Amino acid sequence: MPAASLLPLFGSAAGPGTLGGPAGSGAGGGGRKAAGPGAFRLTEKFVLLLVFSAFITLCFGAIFFLPDSSKLLSGVFFHSAALQPPPPPPGGQPRAPPQPGGGPAAAAAAGGPGSLERIRADHERALREAKETLQKLPEEIRRDIRQDKEKLLQDARGRKEAGGPGLPQRLFRQPVGAVGQEPADPDVRQRREKIKEMMKHAWDNYKRYAWGLNELKPISKQGHSSNLFGNIQGATIVDALDTLYIMEMKEEFKEAKEWVEKNLDFNVNAEISVFEVNIRFVGGLLSAYYLSGEEVFRKKAVELGEKLLPAFNTPTGIPWALLNIKSGIGRNWPWASGGSSILAEFGTLHLEFVHLSHLSGNPVFAEKVMNIRKVLNRLDKPEGLYPNYLNPSSGQWGQHHVSIGGLGDSFYEYLLKAWLMSDKTDEDSKKMYYDAVQAIETHLIRKSSGGLTYIAEWKGGLLEHKMGHLTCFAGGMFALGADGAPSDKTGHHIELGAEIARTCHESYDRTRMKLGPEAFRFDGGVEAIATRQNEKYYILRPEVIETYMYMWRLTHDPKYREWGWEAVEALEKHCRVDGGYSGLRDVYNNHESHDDVQQSFFLSETLKYLYLLFSEDDLLPFEHWVFNTEAHPLPKSFREEVILL
């Protein structure tokens, strides 16, 4: 009740011997006396009223919020009319319940001579606790309340982690092809074993020198940090989980799982790349769950997915590129055109978020990525192409720069794979993909004078005749999508994939180290060669080998395995060091200059694609699996798993 309404209530009662009597004679501590009995000034009445109200509030508050306040209330105010029956006495005979006509005496009579003593003890203890609370300073009371709240939250989190409420229960059924047969050909089997040995070398050195950190510096033999993940740690562990599983490295998989269970922590104050954390951490956890059925991976994936949701809090629902996962504050890369989000980043969330909805029972994840589709479908596309920049506030394109390599690449990949993952029911993604491929063919795909097919970049209508290593994934994408193309275009899409594979192989073959540069050009009289120093490096990227793997699976042309083995020999000769595998600063030099980073995607993608290239088709068969852009396999449909609601 407001003080103004309380004042008349108490003011009328003030008189000699009450509020206006002795208390008034010394009010203020300065010896000032009242004008007469009960004649307090209005301000003095107000001060006394506040003191009295605070005292009453504190007393009643202490009673209601004490740990045993229910006993105090029931015993003191209601005379224990409904006391719980005491435990049965020794011998197992239950006590008789209290008879009607309650009260302490009746309860004592019904429950035995000790009942009244217990009631008194409860009352005395409650009063002692109330007295102790009244003697505490306000800061101490607030601290106690805060600690109680924190304990309740910790208990709730513990129940959730122990399988309590939160995620729907489900009966795990492993999808087809999680484990494959040994290759029939002994030479192929031997090559696959070599790739497994490479994985063990990379993993063992990471474990020895950088365990629990994000990546390894194999020359320095220490951990490597990346601002892409903020304070989240263990990128190599999470990224490598499914590779360890399919290579049947059981001990290594077990120790990786135990680290995830005990140490993978997302409750950090950190700004992360939504894209990178999604494809590596969320994708890696989802894949590990679908392969192994270990519940910890599902729980961690959903937990992280929930922390990424604030990135979508923009006027259009197009997510920010960067997110502080503690505060929920997002922003975009400062170099992006006009504060825009990046096509390849917000367009590479669909596969993982649809699976998050499936595994969590929460449709919000799928709704967020379906909204991205709606925004894109409302926009006009210049020449049918998707620019790399989109402003999340205005919903308009930024700079008209189109690339199937960096900034654009995996957006197109996810359009195709969303259709495949839906068991070919997602007609919207199918139409978007094939329309985009038609525009790419018309405006970006060109053939060099030497007969090499390449994909140029488009800048406001002008072509830059450059192709990035990242763009080399497109060979596999075109071939994978051939089956859904119009009947007269199926062979053409396979052929287009083969031509891109050949061009990318040439970019490797024309270097001294037989490993491809970051970008290569088709102008100034050169073809498939890097001409700028800042494009000559190789950071253990997988895209060329990825296309070899797809082309082998879809055509079984032996040249793709031979090209893949050439890459293995080059990696062993130039990138392998005592402490793991390192990237190279210049693939055209006669002598290695290592960059001293073993990227997590080397274990997740490069080695996995090589292993699949030399495996039988029954290991992660395309009929049942799609790979996210970090090579994490996800089931094509959700029919393999039974939900127990």
Side-chain angles (χ1 to χ4, degrees):
M1 185 183 294
S5 60
L6 286 170
L7 196 57
L9 188 66
F10 285 95
S12 61
T18 60
L19 288 176
S25 63
R32 188 175 63 248
K33 293 185 179 180
F40 277 80
R41 296 179 182 177
L42 183 61
T43 55
E44 292 170 337
K45 290 181 180 180
F46 186 73
V47 170
L48 285 173
L49 177 62
L50 288 176
V51 172
F52 184 75
S53 300
F55 179 77
I56 294 297
T57 302
L58 187 58
C59 289
F60 278 88
I63 290 172
F64 279 100
F65 291 103
L66 282 171
D68 287 325
S69 57
S70 60
K71 295 179 182 177
L72 183 64
L73 290 173
S74 62
V76 175
F77 291 106
F78 305 110
H79 302 292
S80 300
L83 287 172
Q84 295 290 326
Q93 295 298 320
R95 297 181 187 271
Q99 299 298 316
S115 297
L116 184 58
E117 285 75 8
R118 279 194 296 273
I119 294 170
R120 287 173 179 167
D122 286 344
H123 290 176
E124 289 173 0
R125 182 163 55 85
L127 289 171
R128 280 198 310 271
E129 291 175 352
K131 184 177 179 181
E132 291 171 0
T133 301
L134 291 173
Q135 291 174 345
K136 289 183 178 180
L137 295 173
E139 292 79 7
E140 294 178 299
I141 296 172
R142 284 194 290 269
R143 183 198 61 203
D144 292 345
I145 293 171
R146 186 168 60 250
Q147 289 175 346
D148 288 342
K149 287 181 177 179
E150 290 174 355
K151 187 176 185 302
L152 285 171
L153 289 172
Q154 289 173 356
D155 290 345
R157 280 197 297 266
R159 286 193 300 273
K160 186 173 181 180
E161 290 172 359
L167 293 180
Q169 290 183 325
R170 55 182 61 244
L171 176 65
F172 174 76
R173 185 177 298 167
Q174 192 176 58
V176 175
V179 178
Q181 298 177 351
E182 285 281 324
D185 186 324
D187 291 335
V188 174
R189 188 163 59 246
Q190 185 179 6
R191 288 182 172 187
R192 193 174 79 151
E193 280 301 311
K194 173 59 184 176
I195 294 157
K196 182 174 178 178
E197 186 276 328
M198 293 169 69
M199 178 67 181
K200 185 165 178 57
H201 180 69
W203 176 263
D204 286 349
N205 279 284
Y206 166 77
K207 181 182 175 183
R208 184 176 298 115
Y209 301 117
W211 183 246
L213 302 178
N214 279 322
E215 290 169 321
L216 166 68
K217 299 182 77 171
I219 306 294
S220 306
K221 297 183 179 178
Q222 61 186 20
H224 172 67
S225 297
S226 170
N227 59 4
L228 297 173
F229 315 118
N231 294 334
I232 300 176
Q233 296 296 326
T236 292
I237 295 175
V238 177
D239 234 1
L241 281 165
D242 49 16
T243 308
L244 294 171
Y245 190 92
I246 68 168
M247 290 186 179
E248 300 184 65
M249 298 172 66
K250 295 179 181 179
E251 285 303 314
E252 291 84 354
F253 181 83
K254 180 182 176 183
E255 64 192 3
K257 177 216 159 189
E258 289 173 353
W259 185 91
V260 168
E261 208 161 24
K262 296 175 183 177
N263 302 106
L264 184 58
D265 183 15
F266 306 127
N267 297 309
V268 294
N269 185 7
E271 186 178 62
I272 52 92
S273 163
V274 175
F275 164 75
E276 294 287 353
V277 166
N278 175 65
I279 65 172
R280 301 197 204 198
F281 283 89
V282 177
L285 291 166
L286 289 173
S287 180
Y289 169 71
Y290 282 119
L291 288 167
S292 70
E294 295 287 354
E295 189 66 16
V296 62
F297 299 132
R298 177 169 75 118
K299 291 178 179 178
K300 290 287 187 181
V302 174
E303 178 191 350
L304 180 53
E306 289 172 348
K307 290 188 175 294
L308 297 181
L309 287 175
F312 294 84
N313 294 337
T314 66
T316 60
I318 298 295
W320 300 112
L322 303 170
L323 177 72
N324 185 302
I325 57 175
K326 182 177 182 180
S327 69
I329 296 173
R331 67 184 179 99
N332 277 333
W333 298 105
W335 48 262
S337 172
S340 291
S341 299
I342 307 299
L343 181 69
E345 296 191 340
F346 67 76
T348 311
L349 303 169
H350 191 98
L351 303 187
E352 297 84 0
F353 273 57
V354 168
H355 274 280
L356 286 175
S357 277
H358 170 61
L359 293 181
S360 68
N362 186 351
V364 68
F365 299 104
E367 290 167 359
K368 295 296 186 185
V369 291
M370 292 308 296
N371 176 66
I372 294 173
R373 289 249 197 102
K374 293 177 183 177
V375 173
L376 291 174
N377 282 329
R378 288 196 298 263
L379 290 169
D380 290 330
K381 288 84 178 172
E383 304 294 342
L385 298 167
Y386 290 84
N388 292 339
Y389 302 104
L390 180 63
N391 189 291
S393 298
S394 67
Q396 299 300 313
W397 298 117
Q399 183 181 19
H400 283 194
H401 176 197
V402 177
S403 170
I404 314 305
L407 308 183
D409 48 6
S410 46
F411 164 72
Y412 305 95
E413 175 188 359
Y414 271 39
L415 290 179
L416 172 63
K417 290 180 177 178
W419 174 60
L420 294 174
M421 192 177 76
S422 72
D423 217 10
K424 300 184 177 180
T425 61
D426 187 349
E427 292 295 326
D428 188 39
S429 63
K430 177 183 179 182
K431 182 178 186 306
M432 292 174 73
Y433 171 72
Y434 288 105
D435 286 350
V437 170
Q438 184 59 51
I440 290 166
E441 277 209 79
T442 302
H443 299 287
L444 303 182
I445 293 182
R446 295 291 182 266
K447 193 176 287 284
S448 72
S449 58
L452 295 178
T453 300
Y454 63 97
I455 307 175
E457 297 188 4
W458 191 83
K459 296 184 176 179
L462 299 176
L463 287 183
E464 183 178 12
H465 298 274
K466 177 186 80 170
M467 187 170 170
H469 193 291
L470 289 167
T471 317
C472 287
F473 89 97
M477 179 182 73
F478 292 145
L480 183 64
D483 184 50
S487 57
D488 60 331
K489 291 286 187 74
T490 299
H492 172 66
H493 280 233
I494 289 283
E495 183 182 353
L496 187 57
E499 290 179 2
I500 296 298
R502 177 181 168 231
T503 298
C504 293
H505 175 256
E506 287 297 317
S507 76
Y508 274 48
D509 200 45
R510 298 182 186 194
T511 70
R512 286 192 172 89
M513 296 187 180
K514 304 303 179 186
L515 292 166
E518 181 69 6
F520 44 95
R521 295 180 178 267
F522 298 85
D523 55 14
V526 300
E527 293 184 346
I529 292 175
T531 58
R532 303 181 184 183
Q533 189 58 44
N534 64 353
E535 296 173 347
K536 295 181 178 180
Y537 61 88
Y538 171 71
I539 57 171
L540 307 174
R541 285 203 188 276
E543 289 78 19
V544 173
I545 294 165
E546 175 183 358
T547 281
Y548 294 166
M549 189 275 292
Y550 278 106
M551 295 306 302
W552 163 255
R553 283 277 182 102
L554 296 167
T555 69
H556 285 169
D557 186 331
K559 72 183 177 188
Y560 297 114
R561 278 184 164 171
E562 290 307 312
W563 290 353
W565 189 248
E566 288 174 9
V568 168
E569 292 177 324
L571 286 166
E572 287 295 278
K573 182 176 181 180
H574 300 294
C575 297
R576 182 168 181 147
V577 295
D578 289 342
Y581 289 86
S582 172
L584 301 164
R585 291 193 173 92
D586 190 338
V587 292
Y588 297 94
N589 269 347
N590 288 320
H591 303 287
E592 298 91 355
S593 176
H594 294 110
D595 65 10
D596 198 17
V597 180
Q598 180 176 282
Q599 305 280 349
S600 78
F601 56 68
F602 179 67
L603 290 79
S604 170
E605 298 186 76
T606 309
L607 293 177
K608 183 189 287 116
Y609 285 136
L610 283 168
Y611 190 78
L612 292 172
L613 178 61
F614 293 99
S615 296
E616 299 297 320
D617 294 356
D618 65 341
L619 178 59
L620 302 176
F622 292 171
E623 293 81 8
H624 296 279
W625 299 85
V626 294
F627 296 88
N628 88 335
T629 199
E630 190 79 358
H632 295 306
L634 300 170
K636 263 193 171 182
S637 68
F638 306 128
R639 297 175 187 171
E640 306 292 344
E641 217 169 340
V642 179
I643 303 175
L644 301 178
L645 297 177

